Amino acid sequence: MSTDNNTRNDEIYPLALLMDELKHDDIANRVEAMQKLDTIAIALGPERTRSELIPFLTEVAQDDEDEVFSVLTEQLGKFTPYVGGSEHATLLLPILEILASTEETLVRDKAVDSLNNVAQELSQDQLFEKFIPLVENLATADWFSSKVSACGLFKSVVARVKDDTLRKNLLALYLQLIQDDTPMVRRSAAKHLPEIIDLFTQNLELSTNEDWDYISNMFQRVLDDNQDSVKFLGVNCLISILKFFNAKSDHSNSRNLLDSAKKLITDESWRVRYMAADHFTDLASQFEHDESLLNELVDPFLSLCEDTEGDVRKAIAKQLPSFAKLLQNPTVVLEKIFPAVRNLSLDENEATRASLALTVTNLAEILNKEQVVDKLVPILLDMLKDEFPDVRLNIIANLKVVNNVIGVDMLSESLLPAITELANDMNWRVRMAIINYIPILAEQLGKEFFDKQLRDLCLSWLWDTVYSIRSAAVHNLKRLTEIFGDEWSREEIISKLLKFDSQLLENFVYRFTLLSALMALVPVVSREITTEQILPFINHLSSDGVPNIRFNVAKAYISIVESLSTDLPKYKELINDTIITSLKTLVQDDDVDVKYFANQSLEKCNAILS
């Protein structure tokens, strides 16, 4: 009898434990308990999960904190296996419907994601009998939060509905949401409309003319909405509509859709114009099939370049090269686009200039060498003198395409002063940024230019007053060695470091930085360079007067041994005679930290040698 009781207690325990934890006063405990929901379900098994856990969670979903709901909704989205597979997945829908109606946005969003995940597991019958009624309930509820969630669920059903009448009813319902009195509902409907349109693009045989009457009506409603937070979503809707008709090779609506594009581009609301500017190339590319229509977008494009709002100019500045490439008309680019480039490069808004600097060099791809020299280079040289560091940094980071067309010599006259000025900027974060760009420049400009113009600058950063700069400079030398090779590193970096002024090396910080730099190079240089140049210097520092140096030498030894271990027979004697001997001395050091790290390294070295 007692055995039966124990078995029964074991069966009850997981759910009882969860129930106790979810009644805990501390919300952190309740959240943690909910995170273990999958473990509880596994312990219970599918049958008890369906009969006991799901009803319990349905109660929880109606009375707890948003933090608990958030975890619960996320868990339920992957809960189908725990209830016994897809045939029982509809049991999860009532809980998620409750959670999709809550006021907290994060919970609703996760509930929608989970509902869409569950929908993928459902059969056609389950979809029609359970999921579509759920969508309809949410879409026709009194409270706005339910309707907002409903908008995100249509994508799971529209493409799977083959019956034209049912699909028409669903689109009619979505049209109601597009026209809802509450802006938040209309915004959600407009946000998810492109997903529905994209489904028709992926399933061209699915749509009927009547479907497109509904979608056209929806788009027009978004376009005419009195809230700019709804209307600006019309840009993405238009792009999706254009993609659909292009996929069908149906261009009969292109003129009307171009007019819609112009309407959005010139809208009185700056948010709408910003969205049009931010997606301009994607929008314009949908008219590539007709050069005359594409050219009609040039003037609207130029109007965005002169927009009164800085954010709009910032967005369109990034689109300049890609739009110019679409035009494929050098005359239009030179006569109309380049004056706009010049104006934006002098824009009063520094963020606009920085945005232009990110992509402006790509204009070199669509011009010949003479045009690049005459038109683009003067703009770039001026931007390299910009007072705002981000402008200069962005130009420097993207010079490869220009270098490919005209060569580095023409750029170097203004490039080097800009780099030098950034390298010595008072703000250490600016210095950090240019250090991070040096490997990119090295790859773009080549070894010869780098050795002549930038090598000494890279070495000088090792002695910066800010630790983060010195650390970045060390990593920079490693990256450059990976780019140019270890022989270059031997000649141009290591030999220079080892010949450093002995008076400077009297400073502990200099010795520590030099040690860090050499150790960073060990993994990327040959074993010969390590043994002939780096190891002797490390040995010299093993008797340094500063404990911090000595224990870092102890840590450095293990890195050297790991490097040499790839050819252990050749270097075993050297390791024993030099490194092991030195470590045994350091183990006897008076400093506790030196002893500790020396012992650690000695143990690891012996393990490698054994």
Side-chain angles (χ1 to χ4, degrees), residues 475-502:
H475 180 70
N476 186 42
L477 293 181
K478 180 181 178 182
R479 283 284 294 112
L480 290 169
T481 299
E482 290 171 340
I483 293 168
F484 292 143
D486 59 1
E487 281 305 315
W488 170 86
S489 187
R490 181 205 289 265
E491 298 298 325
E492 302 298 335
I493 300 298
I494 297 172
S495 61
K496 302 289 188 299
L497 292 176
L498 294 177
K499 291 176 184 175
F500 213 78
D501 191 332
S502 59

PDB file of all heavy atoms in Angstrom, residues 475-502:
ATOM      1  N   HIS A 475      46.024  44.414 -30.448  1.00  0.00           N
ATOM      2  CA  HIS A 475      45.195  43.563 -31.301  1.00  0.00           C
ATOM      3  C   HIS A 475      45.359  43.963 -32.770  1.00  0.00           C
ATOM      4  O   HIS A 475      45.339  43.099 -33.666  1.00  0.00           O
ATOM      5  CB  HIS A 475      43.730  43.691 -30.883  1.00  0.00           C
ATOM      6  CG  HIS A 475      42.794  42.847 -31.696  1.00  0.00           C
ATOM      7  ND1 HIS A 475      42.757  41.473 -31.608  1.00  0.00           N
ATOM      8  CD2 HIS A 475      41.877  43.193 -32.652  1.00  0.00           C
ATOM      9  CE1 HIS A 475      41.868  41.000 -32.453  1.00  0.00           C
ATOM     10  NE2 HIS A 475      41.319  42.011 -33.100  1.00  0.00           N
ATOM     11  N   ASN A 476      45.549  45.242 -33.017  1.00  0.00           N
ATOM     12  CA  ASN A 476      45.723  45.748 -34.375  1.00  0.00           C
ATOM     13  C   ASN A 476      46.971  45.147 -35.031  1.00  0.00           C
ATOM     14  O   ASN A 476      46.953  44.749 -36.205  1.00  0.00           O
ATOM     15  CB  ASN A 476      45.838  47.277 -34.318  1.00  0.00           C
ATOM     16  CG  ASN A 476      45.865  47.914 -35.687  1.00  0.00           C
ATOM     17  OD1 ASN A 476      45.125  47.525 -36.574  1.00  0.00           O
ATOM     18  ND2 ASN A 476      46.737  48.894 -35.862  1.00  0.00           N
ATOM     19  N   LEU A 477      48.061  45.039 -34.267  1.00  0.00           N
ATOM     20  CA  LEU A 477      49.298  44.461 -34.809  1.00  0.00           C
ATOM     21  C   LEU A 477      49.096  42.991 -35.173  1.00  0.00           C
ATOM     22  O   LEU A 477      49.639  42.513 -36.176  1.00  0.00           O
ATOM     23  CB  LEU A 477      50.428  44.598 -33.786  1.00  0.00           C
ATOM     24  CG  LEU A 477      50.897  46.025 -33.477  1.00  0.00           C
ATOM     25  CD1 LEU A 477      52.039  46.006 -32.477  1.00  0.00           C
ATOM     26  CD2 LEU A 477      51.310  46.761 -34.740  1.00  0.00           C
ATOM     27  N   LYS A 478      48.314  42.293 -34.374  1.00  0.00           N
ATOM     28  CA  LYS A 478      48.012  40.890 -34.679  1.00  0.00           C
ATOM     29  C   LYS A 478      47.229  40.784 -35.991  1.00  0.00           C
ATOM     30  O   LYS A 478      47.545  39.950 -36.853  1.00  0.00           O
ATOM     31  CB  LYS A 478      47.216  40.269 -33.534  1.00  0.00           C
ATOM     32  CG  LYS A 478      46.858  38.802 -33.759  1.00  0.00           C
ATOM     33  CD  LYS A 478      46.050  38.250 -32.593  1.00  0.00           C
ATOM     34  CE  LYS A 478      45.662  36.794 -32.855  1.00  0.00           C
ATOM     35  NZ  LYS A 478      44.827  36.236 -31.756  1.00  0.00           N
ATOM     36  N   ARG A 479      46.206  41.645 -36.169  1.00  0.00           N
ATOM     37  CA  ARG A 479      45.403  41.614 -37.396  1.00  0.00           C
ATOM     38  C   ARG A 479      46.254  41.947 -38.613  1.00  0.00           C
ATOM     39  O   ARG A 479      46.117  41.334 -39.674  1.00  0.00           O
ATOM     40  CB  ARG A 479      44.245  42.630 -37.274  1.00  0.00           C
ATOM     41  CG  ARG A 479      43.115  42.175 -36.407  1.00  0.00           C
ATOM     42  CD  ARG A 479      42.231  41.133 -37.111  1.00  0.00           C
ATOM     43  NE  ARG A 479      41.529  41.720 -38.250  1.00  0.00           N
ATOM     44  CZ  ARG A 479      41.785  41.406 -39.520  1.00  0.00           C
ATOM     45  NH1 ARG A 479      42.709  40.507 -39.818  1.00  0.00           N
ATOM     46  NH2 ARG A 479      41.104  41.969 -40.504  1.00  0.00           N
ATOM     47  N   LEU A 480      47.169  42.921 -38.458  1.00  0.00           N
ATOM     48  CA  LEU A 480      48.028  43.309 -39.587  1.00  0.00           C
ATOM     49  C   LEU A 480      48.965  42.171 -39.968  1.00  0.00           C
ATOM     50  O   LEU A 480      49.248  41.959 -41.156  1.00  0.00           O
ATOM     51  CB  LEU A 480      48.821  44.569 -39.222  1.00  0.00           C
ATOM     52  CG  LEU A 480      47.990  45.850 -39.107  1.00  0.00           C
ATOM     53  CD1 LEU A 480      48.808  46.973 -38.478  1.00  0.00           C
ATOM     54  CD2 LEU A 480      47.450  46.274 -40.466  1.00  0.00           C
ATOM     55  N   THR A 481      49.440  41.430 -38.963  1.00  0.00           N
ATOM     56  CA  THR A 481      50.301  40.269 -39.237  1.00  0.00           C
ATOM     57  C   THR A 481      49.522  39.206 -40.000  1.00  0.00           C
ATOM     58  O   THR A 481      50.054  38.557 -40.913  1.00  0.00           O
ATOM     59  CB  THR A 481      50.856  39.704 -37.924  1.00  0.00           C
ATOM     60  OG1 THR A 481      51.646  40.710 -37.281  1.00  0.00           O
ATOM     61  CG2 THR A 481      51.715  38.468 -38.170  1.00  0.00           C
ATOM     62  N   GLU A 482      48.254  39.023 -39.647  1.00  0.00           N
ATOM     63  CA  GLU A 482      47.413  38.063 -40.363  1.00  0.00           C
ATOM     64  C   GLU A 482      47.221  38.485 -41.825  1.00  0.00           C
ATOM     65  O   GLU A 482      47.091  37.638 -42.715  1.00  0.00           O
ATOM     66  CB  GLU A 482      46.054  37.938 -39.667  1.00  0.00           C
ATOM     67  CG  GLU A 482      46.128  37.228 -38.322  1.00  0.00           C
ATOM     68  CD  GLU A 482      44.823  37.291 -37.546  1.00  0.00           C
ATOM     69  OE1 GLU A 482      43.985  38.177 -37.835  1.00  0.00           O
ATOM     70  OE2 GLU A 482      44.641  36.467 -36.632  1.00  0.00           O
ATOM     71  N   ILE A 483      47.207  39.797 -42.051  1.00  0.00           N
ATOM     72  CA  ILE A 483      47.001  40.312 -43.417  1.00  0.00           C
ATOM     73  C   ILE A 483      48.297  40.245 -44.234  1.00  0.00           C
ATOM     74  O   ILE A 483      48.307  39.765 -45.373  1.00  0.00           O
ATOM     75  CB  ILE A 483      46.476  41.761 -43.363  1.00  0.00           C
ATOM     76  CG1 ILE A 483      45.058  41.800 -42.764  1.00  0.00           C
ATOM     77  CG2 ILE A 483      46.470  42.388 -44.759  1.00  0.00           C
ATOM     78  CD1 ILE A 483      44.581  43.192 -42.398  1.00  0.00           C
ATOM     79  N   PHE A 484      49.418  40.717 -43.665  1.00  0.00           N
ATOM     80  CA  PHE A 484      50.655  40.863 -44.424  1.00  0.00           C
ATOM     81  C   PHE A 484      51.636  39.698 -44.253  1.00  0.00           C
ATOM     82  O   PHE A 484      52.606  39.599 -45.005  1.00  0.00           O
ATOM     83  CB  PHE A 484      51.358  42.169 -44.039  1.00  0.00           C
ATOM     84  CG  PHE A 484      50.629  43.418 -44.459  1.00  0.00           C
ATOM     85  CD1 PHE A 484      50.623  44.544 -43.656  1.00  0.00           C
ATOM     86  CD2 PHE A 484      49.949  43.467 -45.662  1.00  0.00           C
ATOM     87  CE1 PHE A 484      49.957  45.703 -44.043  1.00  0.00           C
ATOM     88  CE2 PHE A 484      49.282  44.614 -46.070  1.00  0.00           C
ATOM     89  CZ  PHE A 484      49.289  45.733 -45.251  1.00  0.00           C
ATOM     90  N   GLY A 485      51.427  38.837 -43.249  1.00  0.00           N
ATOM     91  CA  GLY A 485      52.299  37.679 -43.069  1.00  0.00           C
ATOM     92  C   GLY A 485      53.349  37.856 -41.991  1.00  0.00           C
ATOM     93  O   GLY A 485      53.681  38.981 -41.602  1.00  0.00           O
ATOM     94  N   ASP A 486      53.890  36.718 -41.508  1.00  0.00           N
ATOM     95  CA  ASP A 486      54.799  36.794 -40.367  1.00  0.00           C
ATOM     96  C   ASP A 486      56.188  37.336 -40.735  1.00  0.00           C
ATOM     97  O   ASP A 486      56.858  37.929 -39.894  1.00  0.00           O
ATOM     98  CB  ASP A 486      54.905  35.450 -39.641  1.00  0.00           C
ATOM     99  CG  ASP A 486      55.398  34.328 -40.535  1.00  0.00           C
ATOM    100  OD1 ASP A 486      55.678  34.582 -41.717  1.00  0.00           O
ATOM    101  OD2 ASP A 486      55.502  33.192 -40.027  1.00  0.00           O
ATOM    102  N   GLU A 487      56.634  37.165 -41.979  1.00  0.00           N
ATOM    103  CA  GLU A 487      57.926  37.737 -42.366  1.00  0.00           C
ATOM    104  C   GLU A 487      57.866  39.258 -42.350  1.00  0.00           C
ATOM    105  O   GLU A 487      58.822  39.928 -41.955  1.00  0.00           O
ATOM    106  CB  GLU A 487      58.351  37.232 -43.747  1.00  0.00           C
ATOM    107  CG  GLU A 487      58.938  35.837 -43.737  1.00  0.00           C
ATOM    108  CD  GLU A 487      60.102  35.702 -42.767  1.00  0.00           C
ATOM    109  OE1 GLU A 487      60.985  36.593 -42.746  1.00  0.00           O
ATOM    110  OE2 GLU A 487      60.143  34.707 -42.017  1.00  0.00           O
ATOM    111  N   TRP A 488      56.712  39.774 -42.808  1.00  0.00           N
ATOM    112  CA  TRP A 488      56.513  41.236 -42.712  1.00  0.00           C
ATOM    113  C   TRP A 488      56.551  41.656 -41.250  1.00  0.00           C
ATOM    114  O   TRP A 488      57.175  42.659 -40.899  1.00  0.00           O
ATOM    115  CB  TRP A 488      55.171  41.618 -43.342  1.00  0.00           C
ATOM    116  CG  TRP A 488      54.782  43.041 -43.076  1.00  0.00           C
ATOM    117  CD1 TRP A 488      55.147  44.147 -43.786  1.00  0.00           C
ATOM    118  CD2 TRP A 488      53.960  43.522 -42.003  1.00  0.00           C
ATOM    119  NE1 TRP A 488      54.611  45.281 -43.228  1.00  0.00           N
ATOM    120  CE2 TRP A 488      53.882  44.925 -42.123  1.00  0.00           C
ATOM    121  CE3 TRP A 488      53.296  42.902 -40.948  1.00  0.00           C
ATOM    122  CZ2 TRP A 488      53.158  45.714 -41.226  1.00  0.00           C
ATOM    123  CZ3 TRP A 488      52.581  43.687 -40.052  1.00  0.00           C
ATOM    124  CH2 TRP A 488      52.512  45.078 -40.190  1.00  0.00           C
ATOM    125  N   SER A 489      55.895  40.889 -40.398  1.00  0.00           N
ATOM    126  CA  SER A 489      55.850  41.214 -38.970  1.00  0.00           C
ATOM    127  C   SER A 489      57.252  41.193 -38.368  1.00  0.00           C
ATOM    128  O   SER A 489      57.610  42.049 -37.549  1.00  0.00           O
ATOM    129  CB  SER A 489      54.943  40.217 -38.235  1.00  0.00           C
ATOM    130  OG  SER A 489      54.762  40.607 -36.887  1.00  0.00           O
ATOM    131  N   ARG A 490      58.076  40.214 -38.780  1.00  0.00           N
ATOM    132  CA  ARG A 490      59.451  40.121 -38.262  1.00  0.00           C
ATOM    133  C   ARG A 490      60.242  41.389 -38.587  1.00  0.00           C
ATOM    134  O   ARG A 490      60.906  41.971 -37.718  1.00  0.00           O
ATOM    135  CB  ARG A 490      60.158  38.908 -38.872  1.00  0.00           C
ATOM    136  CG  ARG A 490      61.588  38.728 -38.373  1.00  0.00           C
ATOM    137  CD  ARG A 490      62.446  37.964 -39.390  1.00  0.00           C
ATOM    138  NE  ARG A 490      62.109  36.569 -39.494  1.00  0.00           N
ATOM    139  CZ  ARG A 490      62.723  35.591 -38.827  1.00  0.00           C
ATOM    140  NH1 ARG A 490      63.701  35.876 -37.993  1.00  0.00           N
ATOM    141  NH2 ARG A 490      62.356  34.334 -39.019  1.00  0.00           N
ATOM    142  N   GLU A 491      60.118  41.810 -39.869  1.00  0.00           N
ATOM    143  CA  GLU A 491      60.926  42.937 -40.334  1.00  0.00           C
ATOM    144  C   GLU A 491      60.395  44.293 -39.890  1.00  0.00           C
ATOM    145  O   GLU A 491      61.154  45.177 -39.491  1.00  0.00           O
ATOM    146  CB  GLU A 491      61.032  42.900 -41.870  1.00  0.00           C
ATOM    147  CG  GLU A 491      61.725  41.668 -42.424  1.00  0.00           C
ATOM    148  CD  GLU A 491      63.165  41.569 -41.967  1.00  0.00           C
ATOM    149  OE1 GLU A 491      63.825  42.629 -41.826  1.00  0.00           O
ATOM    150  OE2 GLU A 491      63.636  40.441 -41.741  1.00  0.00           O
ATOM    151  N   GLU A 492      59.064  44.437 -39.963  1.00  0.00           N
ATOM    152  CA  GLU A 492      58.483  45.773 -39.789  1.00  0.00           C
ATOM    153  C   GLU A 492      57.901  46.040 -38.396  1.00  0.00           C
ATOM    154  O   GLU A 492      57.695  47.189 -38.021  1.00  0.00           O
ATOM    155  CB  GLU A 492      57.368  45.986 -40.826  1.00  0.00           C
ATOM    156  CG  GLU A 492      57.822  45.849 -42.268  1.00  0.00           C
ATOM    157  CD  GLU A 492      58.883  46.879 -42.657  1.00  0.00           C
ATOM    158  OE1 GLU A 492      58.935  47.949 -42.027  1.00  0.00           O
ATOM    159  OE2 GLU A 492      59.667  46.587 -43.572  1.00  0.00           O
ATOM    160  N   ILE A 493      57.642  44.988 -37.642  1.00  0.00           N
ATOM    161  CA  ILE A 493      57.025  45.190 -36.320  1.00  0.00           C
ATOM    162  C   ILE A 493      57.940  44.703 -35.199  1.00  0.00           C
ATOM    163  O   ILE A 493      58.408  45.494 -34.369  1.00  0.00           O
ATOM    164  CB  ILE A 493      55.654  44.467 -36.223  1.00  0.00           C
ATOM    165  CG1 ILE A 493      54.694  45.010 -37.280  1.00  0.00           C
ATOM    166  CG2 ILE A 493      55.065  44.636 -34.824  1.00  0.00           C
ATOM    167  CD1 ILE A 493      54.343  46.469 -37.157  1.00  0.00           C
ATOM    168  N   ILE A 494      58.236  43.402 -35.196  1.00  0.00           N
ATOM    169  CA  ILE A 494      58.971  42.830 -34.066  1.00  0.00           C
ATOM    170  C   ILE A 494      60.366  43.432 -33.943  1.00  0.00           C
ATOM    171  O   ILE A 494      60.792  43.808 -32.839  1.00  0.00           O
ATOM    172  CB  ILE A 494      59.061  41.288 -34.209  1.00  0.00           C
ATOM    173  CG1 ILE A 494      57.650  40.692 -34.151  1.00  0.00           C
ATOM    174  CG2 ILE A 494      59.927  40.691 -33.099  1.00  0.00           C
ATOM    175  CD1 ILE A 494      57.573  39.214 -34.458  1.00  0.00           C
ATOM    176  N   SER A 495      61.072  43.549 -35.056  1.00  0.00           N
ATOM    177  CA  SER A 495      62.426  44.112 -34.991  1.00  0.00           C
ATOM    178  C   SER A 495      62.404  45.551 -34.492  1.00  0.00           C
ATOM    179  O   SER A 495      63.294  45.974 -33.742  1.00  0.00           O
ATOM    180  CB  SER A 495      63.099  44.037 -36.361  1.00  0.00           C
ATOM    181  OG  SER A 495      62.369  44.791 -37.316  1.00  0.00           O
ATOM    182  N   LYS A 496      61.369  46.302 -34.878  1.00  0.00           N
ATOM    183  CA  LYS A 496      61.249  47.700 -34.415  1.00  0.00           C
ATOM    184  C   LYS A 496      60.940  47.741 -32.918  1.00  0.00           C
ATOM    185  O   LYS A 496      61.464  48.590 -32.183  1.00  0.00           O
ATOM    186  CB  LYS A 496      60.137  48.420 -35.189  1.00  0.00           C
ATOM    187  CG  LYS A 496      60.309  48.440 -36.691  1.00  0.00           C
ATOM    188  CD  LYS A 496      61.425  49.357 -37.128  1.00  0.00           C
ATOM    189  CE  LYS A 496      61.485  49.525 -38.641  1.00  0.00           C
ATOM    190  NZ  LYS A 496      61.719  48.293 -39.383  1.00  0.00           N
ATOM    191  N   LEU A 497      60.082  46.832 -32.464  1.00  0.00           N
ATOM    192  CA  LEU A 497      59.728  46.810 -31.038  1.00  0.00           C
ATOM    193  C   LEU A 497      60.935  46.448 -30.176  1.00  0.00           C
ATOM    194  O   LEU A 497      61.151  47.027 -29.108  1.00  0.00           O
ATOM    195  CB  LEU A 497      58.598  45.812 -30.789  1.00  0.00           C
ATOM    196  CG  LEU A 497      57.222  46.163 -31.367  1.00  0.00           C
ATOM    197  CD1 LEU A 497      56.232  45.028 -31.105  1.00  0.00           C
ATOM    198  CD2 LEU A 497      56.683  47.463 -30.765  1.00  0.00           C
ATOM    199  N   LEU A 498      61.716  45.491 -30.638  1.00  0.00           N
ATOM    200  CA  LEU A 498      62.850  45.035 -29.837  1.00  0.00           C
ATOM    201  C   LEU A 498      64.005  46.023 -29.831  1.00  0.00           C
ATOM    202  O   LEU A 498      64.904  45.928 -28.984  1.00  0.00           O
ATOM    203  CB  LEU A 498      63.335  43.675 -30.360  1.00  0.00           C
ATOM    204  CG  LEU A 498      62.332  42.525 -30.183  1.00  0.00           C
ATOM    205  CD1 LEU A 498      62.867  41.249 -30.789  1.00  0.00           C
ATOM    206  CD2 LEU A 498      61.995  42.321 -28.710  1.00  0.00           C
ATOM    207  N   LYS A 499      63.985  46.975 -30.769  1.00  0.00           N
ATOM    208  CA  LYS A 499      65.023  48.005 -30.784  1.00  0.00           C
ATOM    209  C   LYS A 499      64.545  49.293 -30.119  1.00  0.00           C
ATOM    210  O   LYS A 499      65.112  50.356 -30.314  1.00  0.00           O
ATOM    211  CB  LYS A 499      65.425  48.313 -32.231  1.00  0.00           C
ATOM    212  CG  LYS A 499      66.179  47.175 -32.906  1.00  0.00           C
ATOM    213  CD  LYS A 499      66.462  47.515 -34.358  1.00  0.00           C
ATOM    214  CE  LYS A 499      67.139  46.343 -35.070  1.00  0.00           C
ATOM    215  NZ  LYS A 499      67.307  46.601 -36.518  1.00  0.00           N
ATOM    216  N   PHE A 500      63.474  49.165 -29.338  1.00  0.00           N
ATOM    217  CA  PHE A 500      62.867  50.362 -28.752  1.00  0.00           C
ATOM    218  C   PHE A 500      63.818  51.019 -27.762  1.00  0.00           C
ATOM    219  O   PHE A 500      64.637  50.358 -27.118  1.00  0.00           O
ATOM    220  CB  PHE A 500      61.553  49.995 -28.057  1.00  0.00           C
ATOM    221  CG  PHE A 500      60.534  51.089 -28.124  1.00  0.00           C
ATOM    222  CD1 PHE A 500      59.804  51.297 -29.288  1.00  0.00           C
ATOM    223  CD2 PHE A 500      60.333  51.937 -27.060  1.00  0.00           C
ATOM    224  CE1 PHE A 500      58.879  52.310 -29.368  1.00  0.00           C
ATOM    225  CE2 PHE A 500      59.409  52.956 -27.134  1.00  0.00           C
ATOM    226  CZ  PHE A 500      58.675  53.149 -28.280  1.00  0.00           C
ATOM    227  N   ASP A 501      63.699  52.302 -27.630  1.00  0.00           N
ATOM    228  CA  ASP A 501      64.550  53.118 -26.757  1.00  0.00           C
ATOM    229  C   ASP A 501      64.573  52.543 -25.337  1.00  0.00           C
ATOM    230  O   ASP A 501      63.547  52.435 -24.672  1.00  0.00           O
ATOM    231  CB  ASP A 501      64.004  54.558 -26.734  1.00  0.00           C
ATOM    232  CG  ASP A 501      64.988  55.514 -26.075  1.00  0.00           C
ATOM    233  OD1 ASP A 501      65.765  55.057 -25.215  1.00  0.00           O
ATOM    234  OD2 ASP A 501      64.965  56.703 -26.415  1.00  0.00           O
ATOM    235  N   SER A 502      65.761  52.169 -24.865  1.00  0.00           N
ATOM    236  CA  SER A 502      65.883  51.544 -23.538  1.00  0.00           C
ATOM    237  C   SER A 502      65.458  52.477 -22.415  1.00  0.00           C
ATOM    238  O   SER A 502      65.007  52.040 -21.354  1.00  0.00           O
ATOM    239  CB  SER A 502      67.324  51.082 -23.312  1.00  0.00           C
ATOM    240  OG  SER A 502      68.211  52.184 -23.417  1.00  0.00           O
TER     241      SER A 502
END
